Amino acid sequence: MLDRRIGADTLRFAVLGESLSHTWSPYIHNSLFLAASRNAVYLPVTIGRDRLASVVDVLRSCFAGFNVTIPYKERILPFLDEVDDAVRACGAVNTVENRDGRLIGHITDGLGMLAAIEQGGVRTQGIRALILGAGGAARVAGYEFLARGGEVTFAARDAQKAGRLSVELGETQCDGQARIHVCTLDSIPCASYDILINCTPVGMYPATDASPVTRDVVAQCGAVFDAVYNPRTTKLLGLAKAEGIPSIEGLGMLFQQAVEAQKTWFGPDIGVSAEAQQEIYRELSAEL
Ligand code: NAP
């Protein structure tokens, strides 16, 4: 049978990375395209660092959009024509929109995290978040909570790194500095937080018996989100369950950042019902 699924009119999308053997992005995006009956295809494109400029040239001329992952989230910046506020604040890009040859950079990880948290039944507006870590995920989480009028405490093993993050993020928000606090992972103030967000790799396979904080710290929080998604239920989420508070898995962020990427490409309605999105998510979960 002649396979007519891909032709001259098919919209092309891609993820660019140096090593993509573990990426879930093609499965998620192609499943969303299928559910939306969209004439589009999404491909993994593995490239060496010396080829970034020439590959971006090709993508600019014949791809409708693309994602970027390690190590290109910052390296892509010089090739873009425009970036959004979140990218200016976070200094990294994961999604590029091609608007008639102009490349516009977005970062959808933070939006994806907050969407996953809201789907877990926890509000994200104006709340106090305790964020563990001071790397890329901590930065996008901090940016989004601050942008929603919240207050954030960064707890990191390297206090200086957390301090630098606090200054840089504080400058991007009106009265931001006053709403950011910093401490080390072993000196978290005894206060109450609406949510604990783990943005360290602690608890990730194969060291699944580790938690970045003790149950005492978890008990100070109203909910827990863990960016780690392998395993789906980390030791930290187990502590949250034992405390009887909502525990939200990182896989939801992985899925929702893709949904948010599609919104930059197609607009707020990506053409996939909530039920169809849940079905794709269920299938993704079953793979892990
Ligand atoms: P990153 O930029 O490398 O930052 C990692 C942070 O964790 C740094 O502050 C680092 O401290 C700290 N850290 C590392 N090992 C630690 C340890 N043993 N104890 C305490 N702190 C430690 O990484 P990232 O991109 O932010 O990612 C963080 C985690 O989120 C990873 O597990 C990643 O897989 C996950 N993630 C998940 C999603 C998703 O869709 N669910 C998306 C993005 C990231 P130093 O700076 O001192 O090294």
Side-chain angles (χ1 to χ4, degrees):
M1 195 181 92
L2 204 58
D3 183 349
R4 295 175 183 271
R5 282 175 303 169
I6 297 176
D9 295 342
T10 306
L11 293 176
R12 289 169 287 264
F13 295 87
V15 53
L16 290 192
E18 198 169 42
S19 164
L20 294 171
S21 54
H22 296 297
T23 185
W24 290 97
S25 294
Y27 307 131
I28 299 173
H29 285 286
N30 285 317
S31 301
L32 291 169
F33 293 159
L34 193 64
S37 303
R38 202 179 283 286
N39 183 11
V41 65
Y42 186 104
L43 304 163
V45 175
T46 308
I47 56 163
R49 298 175 194 208
D50 55 327
R51 304 307 303 271
L52 184 59
S54 52
V55 170
V56 171
D57 249 4
V58 172
L59 297 182
R60 187 192 292 276
S61 65
C62 54
F63 275 64
F66 56 96
N67 289 122
V68 281
T69 187
I70 297 167
Y72 301 123
K73 285 183 146 186
E74 294 88 17
R75 287 167 203 266
I76 192 75
L77 283 164
F79 301 99
L80 303 179
D81 300 296
E82 213 179 294
V83 294
D84 69 15
D85 288 346
V87 172
R88 261 190 290 281
C90 299
V93 165
N94 78 326
T95 300
V96 178
E97 175 195 354
N98 187 349
R99 212 181 284 165
D100 301 322
R102 282 181 65 73
L103 297 183
I104 300 153
H106 305 275
I107 179 123
T108 66
D109 296 304
L111 288 173
M113 180 194 289
L114 270 64
I117 290 170
E118 282 177 357
Q119 290 203 336
V122 176
R123 67 187 174 89
T124 57
Q125 289 282 345
I127 66 170
R128 278 158 303 160
L130 171 60
I131 300 175
L132 312 181
R139 185 179 287 261
V140 294
Y143 172 81
E144 294 297 343
F145 282 114
L146 289 169
R148 284 167 171 69
E151 193 171 327
V152 301
T153 300
F154 289 108
R157 62 180 175 184
D158 179 342
Q160 284 187 338
K161 198 169 171 184
R164 282 197 298 278
L165 173 57
S166 147
V167 170
E168 287 162 17
L169 270 187
E171 285 166 356
T172 68
Q173 311 270 336
C174 157
D175 81 337
Q177 214 69 70
R179 293 186 283 125
I180 309 179
H181 316 282
V182 170
C183 61
T184 55
L185 269 173
D186 51 12
S187 68
I188 293 172
C190 192
S192 71
Y193 304 94
D194 296 306
I195 192 163
L196 169 71
I197 307 281
N198 180 34
C199 292
T200 77
V202 179
M204 189 163 71
Y205 179 83
T208 54
D209 219 22
S211 167
V213 287
T214 61
R215 184 165 169 176
D216 290 348
V217 174
V218 172
Q220 293 170 226
C221 304
V224 173
F225 168 83
D226 199 337
V228 171
Y229 58 84
N230 183 16
R232 280 179 60 195
T233 303
T234 58
K235 171 103 184 249
L236 176 65
L237 293 182
L239 294 178
K241 284 182 205 289
E243 279 298 319
I245 60 174
S247 59
I248 300 157
E249 56 186 40
L251 191 62
M253 172 179 175
L254 184 73
F255 183 72
Q256 291 298 334
Q257 60 79 26
V259 170
E260 295 296 330
Q262 292 218 356
K263 288 181 186 173
T264 74
W265 299 329
F266 305 118
D269 179 4
I270 64 163
V272 184
S273 67
E275 293 72 29
Q277 288 187 31
Q278 272 166 18
E279 183 52 33
I280 296 168
Y281 184 71
R282 259 195 300 277
E283 286 182 24
L284 178 67
S285 313
E287 294 284 329
L288 287 174

